Amino acid sequence: MSESLDSGPPPQAPTTALRQRLAELRGPAAQPHPLDARALAALAANPGCRRRALLDGAGVDKAALASALGSPAAFGQSQFAFMRGNAFEAKVKADGGKELTRLLGVDTPAEVRVPELSAAGPEGRAARTALALREATAEKAWTLLDHPMLALEVAGSPAYLEPDAVVVHPDGTWTVVEIKSFPMIDASADAAKVGAAARQAAVYVLALERVAAVTDGAQVAHSVLLVCPKDFSNLPTASVVDVRKQLSVTRRQLARLTRIEDIAEALPAGTTFDVERPAEELTAAVESVSAAYAPECLAACELAFHCRDRARDAGAVEALGRGVRGELGGLTTIGDVLSAARGTAGDPDDPAVAALRRAAALRAEALEAAGCR
């Protein structure tokens, strides 16, 4: 990674050699799959997974890869939910963002500027967004940036992110706006969904900080405006969500990621994740990159079912959860755990081994008292 994730100019494109290597990993006919904020938030939650870091950095379509491996992803947004979300976002932004500016408490919505952000390619759009942010800050005027493009360097490779909106306040504050279609009932929404939205918004805040660092008078708010339908209607309502904790965690976790080129260089020659290759060859390619599976991956990664099967086949304790893995110390397989509990293996001075043997003894006593033995 670069020395800082929250300062400096927009990230530079990978070198020609790296771009060629990533293209080889994707396959000759595969277009790079964009790395969005949701994927970055999931990646930040599991920075030790070199497999996901490489596949995301190379732009590999993990859903297609999982299907080719015979373990298709069983999650994702339904078409109905997608259409409902788009319809609600359109309502919020209709008439120049009239509803959104109302939620922001702007006295004169007609004075809110909505600059044009179209440009050629993601790099051009990111540059146009940065220019619009600087102009709005200098003019000290309410400005609504609809679907701006932000750039962030992740493991040595640039990622381009597209928040729903960014609002520039007259005092130079930049606020990320997240528009979600889940309801806010009695001013409260589902905690899990709000948490996911906050983690996603923290990635946008992190990317905005890069631009703000080179913009005079700019300051990025560490709280975001979450806009949702009110109760059971389609009327937009909003809540301010503090993302300082998520921002700190995301910044730290992304900084821990190994650079993409370092992971790629360690791969065997000829490794490719081209979904047109035979399943056996794809499996070998995927297994050549280490993973850090945890049950939480099932809700965040398309390859989770494949990684779970491999973890179970190996008897890895990670399949039981990160909390269990942390408690077991040097015992890395379920076989090791059972042997330690039975007293046939393991250092008796190891606290984890001692706890397992004590638990096994208590279980045996309970079964004997119940007449089960």
Side-chain angles (χ1 to χ4, degrees):
M1 289 294 297
S2 59
E3 293 182 358
S4 174
L5 278 167
D6 60 349
S7 63
Q12 298 298 314
T15 62
T16 301
L18 178 58
R19 287 200 302 269
Q20 182 177 352
R21 180 65 177 121
L22 297 183
E24 293 172 353
L25 291 176
R26 288 192 302 271
Q31 294 298 315
H33 197 70
L35 183 60
D36 59 16
R38 184 173 299 178
L40 274 182
L43 185 59
N46 191 11
C49 187
R50 295 166 67 92
R51 181 177 297 170
R52 173 154 196 170
L54 177 63
L55 294 176
D56 282 347
V60 175
D61 186 344
K62 297 196 300 299
L65 179 59
S67 296
L69 291 170
S71 302
F75 70 94
Q77 191 177 39
S78 69
Q79 188 65 23
F80 172 75
F82 183 75
M83 293 173 62
R84 182 182 61 189
N86 283 345
F88 179 68
E89 181 178 341
K91 178 180 178 64
V92 172
K93 295 179 177 178
D95 298 326
K98 182 178 179 180
E99 285 286 350
L100 182 54
T101 53
R102 175 184 66 82
L103 295 172
L104 288 165
V106 180
D107 295 329
T108 53
E111 296 181 3
V112 177
R113 300 170 62 253
V114 184
E116 176 60 47
L117 300 178
S118 60
E123 298 92 342
R125 289 185 58 200
R128 182 67 188 89
T129 295
L131 178 61
L133 286 167
R134 287 193 289 269
E135 290 176 346
T137 303
E139 293 175 10
K140 301 184 183 301
W142 282 104
T143 304
L144 171 63
L145 276 65
D146 185 8
H147 281 288
M149 183 65 73
L150 306 173
L152 183 65
E153 185 178 290
V154 180
S157 182
Y160 293 95
L161 315 170
E162 189 175 5
D164 293 327
V166 171
V167 174
V168 179
H169 301 244
D171 64 356
T173 301
W174 301 350
T175 300
V176 171
V177 178
E178 272 290 280
I179 303 174
K180 298 296 183 182
S181 60
F182 56 80
M184 195 175 293
I185 301 173
D186 293 333
S188 179
D190 181 270
K193 293 180 178 179
V194 172
R199 290 189 292 273
Q200 184 176 337
V203 177
Y204 297 136
V205 172
L206 198 58
L208 270 178
E209 287 183 340
R210 296 183 62 91
V211 186
V214 292
T215 304
D216 293 336
Q219 179 180 359
V220 182
H222 288 171
S223 57
V224 303
L225 189 71
L226 177 62
V227 181
C228 300
K230 182 178 181 181
D231 298 327
F232 300 101
S233 70
N234 203 36
L235 179 67
T237 187
S239 177
V240 176
V241 179
D242 190 329
V243 297
R244 285 177 295 181
K245 178 180 178 181
Q246 291 84 355
L247 181 62
S248 176
V249 171
T250 301
R251 181 184 289 113
R252 182 174 65 253
Q253 298 292 64
L254 289 182
R256 290 176 55 196
L257 287 173
T258 305
R259 294 181 64 88
I260 298 298
E261 55 263 46
D262 295 338
I263 303 175
E265 286 176 1
L267 296 177
T271 298
T272 179
F273 304 105
D274 183 359
V275 296
E276 300 299 326
R277 308 295 292 181
E280 297 80 7
E281 185 176 331
L282 277 178
T283 299
V286 170
E287 294 304 312
S288 68
V289 190
S290 62
Y293 172 77
E296 294 86 346
C297 296
L298 293 173
C301 182
E302 294 86 346
L303 284 178
F305 290 97
H306 172 83
C307 296
R308 181 184 65 177
D309 291 344
R310 289 298 184 270
R312 287 176 173 177
D313 291 344
V317 295
E318 286 84 357
L320 303 177
R322 291 193 180 98
V324 175
R325 175 68 186 89
E327 292 290 337
L328 293 175
L331 303 174
T332 60
T333 69
I334 294 175
D336 292 340
V337 173
L338 294 176
S339 297
R342 294 173 183 141
T344 59
D347 182 359
D349 294 329
D350 185 333
V353 173
L356 287 168
R357 293 181 179 176
R358 177 59 177 160
L362 291 173
R363 178 180 182 273
E365 292 176 7
L367 290 174
E368 184 176 356
C372 296
R373 297 186 63 179

